[in-house]
Amino acid sequence: MTDTVSRRSALRLLGGAIAVATAATTGLVSPSHAYAQARPEAGAGPRLEGLLARLTLDEKISLLHGATDPNSLGQAGYIPGVPRLKIPPLRLTDGPAGVRVTAHATALPAPVLLASAFDPELARRYGRVVGREGRALGQDVLLSPMVNLIRTPYAGRNFETFSEDPLLAGDLVAAEIEGIQGEGLIATVKHFAMNNQEKDRNTIDVRVDEQTMHEVELRGFEAATAVGTGAVMGAYNKVNGTFACENKTLLTDILRGQWGFDGWVMTDWFAAHSTVAAITAGLDMEMPDGTYFGTPLKTAVQNGSVPERYVDRAVRRILGVMDRFGLLDGSAPPRPARDAKAGAAVALEVAKAGATLLRNEHRTLPLTGGSIAVIGPTGALPFVSGGGSAHVVPDHADSPLDAIKARAGSGARVTYTLGEDLFGRAIPASALTPAFDSEGQTVAAGKTWEYDGSLTVAETDEWTFVLHFSSAPTARPKVLLDGEELFPLAAGYGEYFSGGLVSADPDGLGVRRKTLTLTKGAHTLKITAEGGDAGLLFRLRRITGATRAQDVAAAVTAARAARSVVLFAYEDATEGLDRTTLGLPGNQAELIGAVTAANPRTTVVLNTSSSTSMPWLARTGAVLQMYYPGQEGAAATAAVLFGDCDPGGRLTQSFPVDDAHHPVAGDPLRYPGVNGTEEYSEGIHVGYRWYDAEGVRPLYPFGYGLSYTSFSYEDASARWNGHGLDVTFTVRNTGRREGVAVPQVYVGRSPDLQLDQAVRVLGGYRRLVLRPGERRRVTVHVDARTLSSWDVKRHAWVLGTGRRSVWVGASAGDLRVRASADVKR
């Protein structure tokens, strides 16, 4: 493996040298294409070619699609291997924030929280934890990391990815893959490509121009291939009229022709749509079964519609990666034991490093003791991760309340109030005719329980019915109110993508909700519950306007009695569903408004997936963004709240003011699409670039985050060195305590390019820890790729020459010093 890695590294360096020489003479910058030209023609070598020749057609095809694992640990996929030729099986596991199997694993913070640290080395260590644990838990392939850009704030998987900025996303995905694969686990970058929303993700046709595609979405995927990712996962959606998993432009022309990728391409789960078109376009593996690459592929080979060389090509790619990782000749190192303690230490470090302080008025933070009122459901219930494929079974997960109590010490008084009810209260027996035990109804195995009665409502009010059940989601009780089914089964896999927090109660029962307005009087209620093979326990509860008012009143009372308030707010995102608003769900805005009116020393801790609108902001003392902080989130949150560490995170996405002021607002063709088609008509102006171009001020800009100290930026200069800009400046800690600074370098437009350009783009950044009064001279390199634009006429990168402005500052909205330099060919 060492020789292989060295050879690949040498080839990449050679490709980079060719690119620099090319740029110097023509202005074109194509390092990836140069690498593809410099590397030898991808061949498996005599040993692998011999192995391929011994495989039967059936055996070859068995390697190209998923099957059922006879010894499953609950992972996502399985390839059976060929025992006759000692080709081992492959086990494929989800894992954007830790290994997702039925066994315990380290639940790391969500990738968006990792990204907030602006620290590729930390991303590399994050990857090492996942890589080691994946191998320890018997897995061979990790279905991660995700590098799709944050294009819309509503996307349900924004927490699983990194950023709205292509450079930052590319840096982090490359580093994480190096960490994962350095431990011997094969990484899979996903979802290739333009998979930037969950709404209609299986069918939406994304229309995007060539410049936008290369400058925005593809940069992260290219970075992943440059560090040798073993696999790429194709997306569900179409790109310019063709499904991504059978899109020759993506899978062959760009991925292999321009970038020189020599691993294999698999589908997302059930994302295949054809046999002939897919395999000839460059798809190698169908997951999780063989709907198209099983018997239909064999038939296609036998009848001549698919030449067998395409099957051989796909098998060669898969075996080539397996061989690179020592899976064919037994040279892979022995599987390690899990190191839960080391994993937990990295999880804690990442959560603290990514904690992002958005507001801190009147020294609300750090907390200084005295009485503290903790409010909100996620104050007592740890919010570990989002839903869907990101969910991990953690070793442990403490509640923030317990962590705050422990850190505050015995001399402090810490109280807890619910504030916002997630799981409902019992329906009064007097409201049910005939009465039944709605708090614990049991149904024996093989039996059916039925109820046919009425629910009487004293006053017209909004009700949220909350059903708790012990069975599988598809076998839960059927509840009809006035003839309407309250909890119908979601289509497809929707039942399994129902959230990471609100879909299960603290007892482990599944939870579903339905909100509607009930008029005063009697309503018919019918329930049918099947005991199934194991029996069933269910509860039917309610949350009403009256109970919400009681919860808010109790929270206000607690806030008034305390010196400081820590109010935990949540938003529960999941794969398969997009958000419908940037506002917090439920009654939380009203809760925050009431509590902050009662006590202005209120810190709102946000356990949310992405950007959040904050109509309640002005009354708060502080706002701390913690996203989904993993199993060590409680300890990390307490450490930041009490000032044991500086909040080291910065926003990797712009936070809009509201639902009407962001890049896809007001244009349904941009999002969520019209008649099955979506247009990326904002072009290259994604995220902060759009705010700059349109002159719209966000609530919080990209790169923003406060420290418990302060920093100055001085004496900036920029110099062209023949293959990029070296930007040098001084950062000084002007406060009284050690803190984290994340200076960012932004580069303006080229006067010589007649192509669409952003007002400015992120060119580089540095994470620094500075002591009080310490000053440091820093140089950030801006590479030629960042200074280039994609020319659709040449189908290549073109260097943006001329006088380029450079800014250095604390965020995209806080640019402190400016310099300029001439960029030359």
Side-chain angles (χ1 to χ4, degrees):
M1 289 178 66
T2 302
D3 290 341
T4 302
V5 172
S6 298
R7 184 172 65 252
R8 294 175 64 90
S9 300
L11 288 169
R12 286 195 181 90
L13 289 172
L14 175 59
I18 292 172
V20 171
T22 303
T25 57
T26 67
L28 300 183
V29 180
S30 305
S32 59
H33 183 61
Y35 164 65
Q37 290 180 324
R39 61 187 292 278
E41 191 67 29
R47 186 167 61 82
L48 286 190
E49 290 297 338
L51 184 61
L52 182 63
R54 295 168 62 194
L55 287 165
T56 67
L57 178 60
D58 285 336
E59 289 170 337
K60 292 175 187 176
I61 289 174
S62 73
L63 295 171
L64 304 187
H65 65 82
T68 300
D69 187 350
N71 299 300
S72 177
L73 194 62
Q75 80 276 2
Y78 174 76
I79 301 294
V82 182
R84 179 179 69 87
L85 298 177
K86 297 183 179 179
I87 298 175
L90 288 176
R91 289 180 168 86
L92 302 86
T93 179
D94 285 314
V99 180
R100 184 178 183 256
V101 293
T102 53
H104 288 276
T106 301
L108 293 158
V112 70
L113 183 55
L114 166 68
S116 300
F118 278 69
D119 188 348
E121 179 54 36
L122 188 59
R124 189 172 288 107
R125 292 171 55 211
Y126 182 103
R128 286 177 189 146
V129 171
V130 183
R132 179 187 177 101
E133 294 207 342
R135 294 207 67 240
L137 291 167
Q139 306 302 301
D140 307 293
V141 182
L142 183 74
L143 305 174
S144 183
M146 175 179 173
V147 75
N148 300 101
L149 287 195
I150 298 176
R151 175 180 177 263
T152 167
Y154 303 115
R157 299 181 82 172
N158 282 349
F159 68 95
E160 286 189 59
T161 192
F162 299 111
S163 177
E164 68 187 22
D165 180 74
L167 172 67
L168 180 61
D171 289 350
L172 296 174
V173 77
E176 185 180 343
I177 287 172
E178 287 176 332
I180 294 165
Q181 297 195 156
E183 296 293 328
L185 191 68
I186 299 167
T188 307
V189 67
K190 64 183 185 183
H191 310 84
F192 192 60
M194 319 310 293
N195 183 186
N196 305 113
Q197 67 189 60
E198 296 301 281
K199 173 70 173 172
D200 300 326
R201 67 176 182 173
N202 294 303
T203 58
I204 195 72
D205 182 8
V206 176
R207 301 299 175 98
V208 56
D209 67 82
E210 188 178 326
Q211 182 185 3
T212 298
M213 188 160 59
H214 280 273
E215 290 192 25
V216 179
E217 174 81 350
L218 295 188
R219 184 161 185 174
F221 290 98
E222 183 179 2
T225 63
V227 294
T229 186
V232 170
M233 180 187 290
Y236 286 114
N237 49 279
K238 296 177 182 177
V239 178
N240 293 328
T242 303
F243 280 108
C245 287
E246 54 188 52
N247 192 307
K248 181 178 179 294
T249 299
L250 289 175
L251 302 187
T252 295
D253 299 345
I254 294 174
L255 184 61
R256 299 188 186 278
Q258 292 181 18
W259 300 346
F261 174 66
D262 59 4
W264 87 82
V265 178
M266 71 181 79
T267 67
D268 204 337
W269 268 225
F270 302 104
H273 293 273
S274 65
T275 300
V276 178
I279 198 166
T280 56
L283 182 70
D284 304 308
M285 180 184 289
E286 178 190 7
M287 294 302 295
D289 59 21
T291 301
Y292 295 97
F293 274 26
T295 300
L297 180 56
K298 180 178 180 181
T299 300
V301 171
Q302 291 173 332
N303 67 24
S305 56
V306 171
E308 193 167 350
R309 70 176 183 274
Y310 285 106
V311 173
D312 290 348
R313 181 180 72 176
V315 172
R316 186 180 291 112
R317 291 166 176 171
I318 295 165
L319 293 181
V321 176
M322 293 178 69
D323 191 48
R324 172 154 66 102
F325 282 79
L327 299 178
L328 296 183
D329 63 1
S331 64
R335 293 190 183 272
R338 277 195 68 219
D339 189 341
K341 183 177 180 180
V346 172
L348 177 61
E349 183 182 358
V350 171
K352 291 194 290 188
T356 306
L357 185 61
L358 300 179
R359 178 178 171 87
N360 192 20
E361 299 295 311
H362 311 299
R363 298 184 179 178
T364 298
L365 294 179
L367 297 175
T368 55
S371 58
I372 303 170
V374 177
I375 297 171
T378 50
L381 184 66
F383 200 155
V384 175
S385 64
S389 60
H391 182 70
V392 178
V393 181
D395 288 307
H396 68 90
D398 297 332
S399 78
L401 175 62
D402 289 341
I404 290 171
K405 285 182 176 178
R407 176 57 184 81
S410 58
R413 184 172 66 90
V414 180
T415 62
Y416 175 72
T417 307
L418 180 63
E420 169 85 354
D421 188 358
L422 290 180
F423 301 111
R425 301 181 186 178
I427 297 175
S430 60
L432 296 168
T433 307
F436 77 96
D437 183 9
S438 65
E439 271 296 279
Q441 189 63 46
T442 58
V443 184
K447 301 295 184 181
T448 299
W449 183 90
E450 294 182 330
Y451 176 84
D452 190 349
S454 64
L455 169 69
T456 300
V457 177
E459 300 290 341
T460 298
D461 197 356
E462 181 182 86
W463 278 53
T464 297
F465 287 92
V466 187
L467 177 68
H468 303 229
F469 55 94
S470 62
S471 61
T474 53
R476 62 173 179 258
K478 185 175 183 179
V479 181
L480 284 81
L481 185 74
D482 294 333
E484 176 189 355
E485 187 170 354
L486 294 184
F487 312 105
L489 295 177
Y493 274 70
E495 281 299 327
Y496 301 93
F497 298 143
S498 56
L501 172 76
V502 300
S503 62
D505 72 11
D507 298 333
L509 300 184
V511 173
R512 294 294 184 271
R513 296 168 180 79
K514 175 68 174 184
T515 300
L516 66 167
T517 298
L518 293 188
T519 56
K520 179 181 179 180
H523 299 263
T524 62
L525 178 65
K526 296 184 178 181
I527 305 173
T528 304
E530 304 284 348
D533 295 333
L536 169 70
L537 166 67
F538 76 90
R539 298 188 282 257
L540 184 62
R541 292 178 172 177
R542 97 294 189 206
I543 304 168
T544 68
T547 66
R548 291 188 183 96
Q550 293 168 9
D551 291 335
V552 171
V556 167
T557 299
R560 285 177 176 154
R563 181 176 188 272
S564 300
V565 176
V566 181
L567 192 158
F568 286 82
Y570 76 94
E571 174 260 318
D572 193 24
T574 180
E575 178 181 358
L577 295 174
D578 279 349
R579 303 158 71 192
T580 57
T581 177
L582 300 181
L584 294 170
N587 199 47
Q588 293 182 97
E590 291 76 8
L591 172 66
I592 295 172
V595 168
T596 53
N599 189 332
R601 292 186 58 81
T602 295
T603 297
V604 176
V605 178
L606 292 170
N607 291 131
T608 55
S609 68
S610 189
S611 55
T612 303
S613 59
M614 306 180 195
W616 35 262
L617 180 64
R619 279 183 168 175
T620 62
V623 177
L624 177 63
Q625 176 64 252
M626 290 299 297
Y627 298 104
Y628 302 153
Q631 68 179 46
E632 306 299 323
T637 301
V640 175
L641 289 174
F642 284 92
D644 299 335
C645 65
D646 204 40
R650 304 296 185 264
L651 293 181
T652 69
Q653 59 192 297
S654 308
F655 273 37
V657 171
D658 54 34
D659 288 293
H661 297 88
H662 56 76
V664 300
D667 187 347
L669 197 53
R670 283 190 185 177
Y671 175 85
V674 176
N675 297 325
T677 298
E678 181 176 64
E679 294 183 359
Y680 283 24
S681 57
E682 74 276 17
I684 64 169
H685 305 285
V686 66
Y688 66 87
R689 303 179 183 187
W690 179 87
Y691 288 94
D692 284 343
E694 299 297 323
V696 175
R697 186 173 181 177
L699 179 64
Y700 290 113
F702 173 87
Y704 178 87
L706 300 176
S707 167
Y708 288 146
T709 186
S710 56
F711 302 94
S712 67
Y713 296 78
E714 304 161 352
D715 192 20
S717 64
R719 182 181 64 88
W720 171 250
N721 63 14
H723 53 86
L725 289 175
D726 287 330
V727 182
T728 303
F729 52 92
T730 299
V731 184
R732 183 165 63 95
N733 183 342
T734 56
R736 296 182 178 180
R737 58 172 288 165
E738 181 177 276
V740 176
V742 184
Q744 299 150 45
V745 173
Y746 294 84
V747 183
R749 294 166 169 156
S750 163
D752 296 342
L753 286 184
Q754 303 304 309
L755 299 170
D756 192 20
Q757 299 177 70
V759 174
R760 62 183 63 89
V761 298
L762 181 69
Y765 51 88
R766 184 71 56 82
R767 182 182 178 87
L768 306 172
V769 178
L770 299 178
R771 299 183 303 275
E774 181 181 2
R775 69 171 67 224
R776 192 174 303 174
R777 193 73 174 154
V778 177
T779 297
V780 171
H781 180 71
V782 181
D783 64 20
R785 169 60 62 84
T786 302
L787 298 168
S788 303
S789 296
W790 184 266
D791 188 332
V792 299
K793 293 181 180 178
R794 304 189 192 190
H795 306 292
W797 293 96
V798 180
L799 185 64
T801 55
R803 195 74 176 171
R804 304 290 294 266
S805 292
V806 175
W807 294 265
V808 180
S811 75
D814 183 10
L815 304 174
R816 307 282 184 89
V817 290
R818 184 173 180 174
S820 63
D822 288 319
V823 174
K824 303 174 183 179
R825 293 176 181 169

